[in-house]
Amino acid sequence: MSINPKILVTSAAGKTGIPVTLQLLEQGVPVRAFVRRRDARSERLETAGAEVFVGNQYSLTDMRMAMTGVRRAYQCAPTAPNGLHFNTVFTAAAWEAQLEHVVTLGQWLSAVDHPSLFTREVYLSDLLIRMNSNMTVTSVNPGWFADNYLMVLDTAAHLGLFTMPLGPGNEKKNAPPSNEDIASVVVASLIDRDTHAGKVYRPTGPELLSPDDLAAAMGRALGRRVRYVDISERMMTKALRALPPSNYSEAAVSQLAIYAEEYRRGAFAVNAPTDHVEKVGGRTPEGLESIVCRTVATRPDLQSTLPRRLKAMTGFGKILLTPSLDLNKVQSVRDYVQIQKPLFARDTQEWLSSHDLNYITPFSMDAAHPPDKTVDPTLKTFQSRGAK
């Protein structure tokens, strides 16, 4: 077998797929990049040396073809309301192709009875991919991406407002990872199977930040004062439907609203930050200000001018006039079995016992049975103190 076996990267034109592909190629690893269509993103990957495979990731026939001749793969479900179908197709094809190792992109929130259909599908997918005893798996489970904040960067640049439903501005609730830092953990896990097989990693940014901290970082990167405004979920649904790229399905918007509730409850602050980007990915985790600076450098439209400010104000008016979504109705009309008693991550004993180092189970409530803090439960078999 080759020292560097060819690796299949699914969703290769996506937020983590591009940096995973590029970082693998930088290390001399041959890559087959699975994309939906040829465009500027696929051309960038091909120019860098990737073998571009154009196909339908929901087609078992296409996935079988994409896995021909590869030994390892990055499983990254597209951002769509049918992620479980993709993961089932991927798992079936991986079993037939006898892949030796897979790295999956999961979720920090993954829980069996979560209110989000997307998250419950991630939980099921995690179980499915591990049923093949002849294939090893590494899970990379980030929380709320730094990239999510960039959705409102135009408003910050032109109106000085950072608007999201994240709760009070002074509560530190997230340590946001960059797409590139997440990719570094994926790449290390793909290349060094012996070290990372069976492990679960959670890449984060370098520090917990409050919404006010996020606004200040944006302001420094943009060279202007930016103020955080805590908006309602109703207003968020209006904005996601009104402004470009405005390609979010109603189902996707409903799931984002659930994740915003988890954010306010502090689920993304649990056991954060981690050292996985540094110790696994081999790089210093990037702060939000640096991430925004990189974005600003590639987007001249973020330079504030009177016409752009007027356009931003017009966009804000469009948000106000756009009907909001009835989130409960969106959930009820979806064609799937709903959970009778859904539980947010912070309300789930199973999730807390495997994610929160400070959580004491009902069976260990006395001083004689303190929680074991020597092993990070989010890593399962991975000893964070002994990481290389």
Side-chain angles (χ1 to χ4, degrees), residues 91-357:
T91 300
W95 178 77
E96 291 180 346
Q98 298 182 337
L99 296 192
E100 63 182 16
H101 184 56
V102 167
V103 176
T104 70
L105 186 72
Q107 283 188 9
W108 172 244
L109 297 177
S110 181
V112 63
D113 289 325
H114 199 273
S116 166
L117 169 66
F118 291 9
T119 298
R120 295 200 303 273
E121 289 185 338
V122 169
Y123 188 92
L124 290 170
S125 299
D126 287 343
L127 294 177
L128 287 173
I129 197 68
R130 285 172 171 77
M131 288 183 178
N132 182 358
S133 60
N134 295 319
M135 181 179 72
T136 55
V137 178
T138 302
S139 294
V140 178
N141 295 339
W144 188 285
F145 287 33
D147 195 83
N148 292 344
Y149 303 122
L150 303 184
M151 291 190 296
V152 296
L153 194 55
D154 291 73
T155 305
H158 302 307
L159 300 180
L161 300 176
F162 168 49
T163 56
M164 276 192 165
L166 306 179
N170 60 352
E171 293 185 7
K172 297 184 182 295
K173 291 185 177 294
N174 191 32
S178 71
N179 296 339
E180 291 73 17
D181 284 347
I182 295 169
S184 71
V185 176
V186 172
V187 168
S189 301
L190 283 167
I191 292 175
D192 188 353
R193 174 195 182 193
D194 292 341
T195 298
H196 303 295
K199 309 296 175 54
V200 179
Y201 299 123
R202 183 214 181 176
T204 70
E207 60 180 328
L208 276 174
L209 300 174
S210 69
D212 286 343
D213 296 331
L214 297 168
M218 285 185 177
R220 291 191 297 272
L222 291 165
R224 63 162 301 162
R225 182 175 181 270
V226 175
R227 178 170 60 91
Y228 169 66
V229 178
D230 185 26
I231 63 174
S232 65
E233 286 182 356
R234 179 173 173 271
M235 184 62 72
M236 181 189 74
T237 68
K238 290 159 70 76
L240 288 173
R241 302 177 72 203
L243 299 180
S246 65
N247 58 354
Y248 292 96
S249 67
E250 291 188 351
V253 172
S254 71
Q255 305 308 294
L256 286 171
I258 293 172
Y259 299 149
E261 174 63 22
E262 286 280 26
Y263 197 115
R264 294 190 295 273
R265 286 167 169 257
F268 297 110
V270 172
N271 201 24
T274 70
D275 58 7
H276 303 173
V277 171
E278 181 179 5
K279 292 192 174 180
V280 179
R283 52 194 278 159
T284 301
E286 187 176 16
L288 184 71
E289 183 178 345
S290 173
I291 296 168
V292 177
C293 282
R294 285 195 292 107
T295 304
V296 170
T298 63
R299 289 189 53 188
D301 61 298
L302 292 174
Q303 297 298 318
S304 186
T305 63
L306 179 58
R308 288 170 182 160
R309 288 196 295 273
L310 291 174
K311 182 178 180 181
M313 293 176 67
T314 301
F316 192 75
K318 184 180 179 182
I319 292 174
L320 296 177
L321 295 173
T322 299
S324 61
L325 281 180
D326 182 337
L327 297 176
N328 291 329
K329 182 178 179 181
V330 171
Q331 291 283 74
S332 66
V333 299
R334 290 275 294 159
D335 185 20
Y336 65 89
V337 176
Q338 297 189 61
I339 299 295
Q340 278 193 325
K341 295 181 179 180
L343 295 170
F344 285 96
R346 292 298 299 273
D347 299 333
T348 308
Q349 180 180 321
E350 177 190 5
W351 188 90
L352 286 169
S353 65
S354 62
H355 289 66
D356 189 349
L357 285 173

Side-chain angles (χ1 to χ4, degrees), residues 37-110:
R37 60 179 179 269
R38 288 194 172 274
D39 55 20
R41 297 170 300 175
S42 65
E43 288 178 7
R44 179 186 178 191
L45 300 179
E46 194 165 44
T47 299
E51 173 195 338
V52 172
F53 179 94
V54 181
N56 180 356
Q57 294 190 144
Y58 300 99
S59 163
L60 182 56
T61 296
D62 286 359
M63 190 64 75
R64 283 168 169 166
M65 292 174 61
M67 287 189 182
T68 302
V70 304
R71 305 299 302 143
R72 302 179 186 183
Y74 175 43
Q75 178 196 32
C76 178
T79 304
N82 44 12
L84 184 59
H85 184 90
F86 162 81
N87 286 326
T88 302
V89 166
F90 179 95
T91 300
W95 178 77
E96 291 180 346
Q98 298 182 337
L99 296 192
E100 63 182 16
H101 184 56
V102 167
V103 176
T104 70
L105 186 72
Q107 283 188 9
W108 172 244
L109 297 177
S110 181

